[in-house]
Amino acid sequence: MVVLMIAGLGLMIWGGVYNYHERQQKMQAARESQIKLVKDGDSSATMTMQGSSDSLGKDLRNQPAPAFKLATLEGGKFDSASLKGHPMVINFWATYCGPCRLEMPWFEEFSKKYEAKGLKVVGIDDEEGASKDDIHAAVKKTGVTYPILIADTSIEKAYGLGDYLPSTYYVDANGKVLIQTPGAPSKDEIEANIQKIIGGQ
């Protein structure tokens, strides 16, 4: 019995490591193919994604952000309609994603800094196999207090997520996606994106 338990534990650890390495390889491939975010040619506050459209996901820029109702870590439901009229950051992340954990405290900092401007930040955990305890532990380490939600297939389909995490959508107060970033920009770039969705408010 003990041998079976040890073997089972070993398989669980191996599966987690394999999943982690698979995502890491995809993120490394993105870096090597020099996926860049560049300003669009027009005067609107958008960015253009260069690279495989399949791997980067659906381009939602200049479109209404898809609505969602998702479970919270506490077991409740969160309705994106509650954010209507607010500029918001929607950040898809995962517990194993190093760049995600790096930028989450920045989102926390900016959510406080621009709170008076109406900014709302929402984190959506998008991974298979992570328990609520795993997610709680990761959130606690990053120190974030903004809502953390659990992704389901409906939001994955609505946002047409690609292969890379983090994936972040910057939405203006009218509910339109102005900027979409696969991967983790610098802290300064994140703040600049937030300032664009806040605009003249």
Side-chain angles (χ1 to χ4, degrees):
M1 180 64 80
V2 173
V3 172
L4 287 175
M5 288 175 63
I6 293 173
L9 183 60
L11 282 172
M12 288 173 61
I13 293 171
W14 178 84
V17 170
Y18 177 79
N19 189 20
Y20 170 80
H21 284 299
E22 185 177 25
R23 283 283 193 167
Q24 289 295 316
Q25 287 172 354
K26 286 181 179 179
M27 293 180 79
Q28 182 62 32
R31 293 187 196 101
E32 290 172 359
S33 64
Q34 295 182 338
I35 294 172
K36 296 179 181 178
L37 302 173
V38 296
K39 289 183 180 177
D40 204 347
D42 64 25
S43 60
S44 63
T46 63
M47 293 186 131
T48 300
M49 301 180 295
Q50 295 179 337
S52 166
S53 59
D54 291 338
S55 64
L56 294 176
K58 185 191 301 183
D59 185 357
L60 293 179
R61 292 167 302 133
N62 295 314
Q63 297 180 43
F68 53 85
K69 292 181 182 179
L70 295 175
T72 67
L73 276 182
E74 293 74 27
K77 278 286 185 182
F78 184 94
D79 189 342
S80 62
S82 66
L83 303 180
K84 187 175 181 181
H86 291 274
M88 61 182 165
V89 174
I90 303 169
N91 174 245
F92 289 88
W93 68 286
T95 59
Y96 58 78
C97 169
C100 300
R101 294 192 307 272
L102 175 67
E103 68 178 5
M104 287 171 75
W106 299 341
F107 288 129
E108 175 70 14
E109 177 185 336
F110 295 138
S111 72
K112 298 290 190 282
K113 182 175 180 179
Y114 295 103
E115 185 176 14
K117 299 283 188 182
L119 180 68
K120 301 294 181 183
V121 178
V122 177
I124 302 176
D125 181 82
D126 183 43
E127 61 186 306
E128 292 182 12
S131 69
K132 286 191 176 181
D133 286 343
D134 294 334
I135 300 169
H136 267 296
V139 169
K140 186 175 180 180
K141 283 183 181 178
T142 60
V144 303
T145 60
Y146 53 78
I148 299 294
L149 314 177
I150 311 298
D152 59 19
T153 53
S154 66
I155 195 168
E156 290 171 346
K157 183 176 180 181
Y159 279 79
L161 297 178
D163 295 332
Y164 306 106
L165 291 175
S167 188
T168 307
Y169 300 80
Y170 298 83
V171 182
D172 70 10
N174 296 316
K176 184 170 71 174
V177 177
L178 292 189
I179 303 165
Q180 176 178 343
T181 61
S186 70
K187 184 178 181 180
D188 288 344
E189 289 171 325
I190 288 173
E191 185 167 23
N193 291 341
I194 288 171
Q195 289 172 342
K196 287 174 183 174
I197 61 171
I198 289 172
Q201 294 186 46

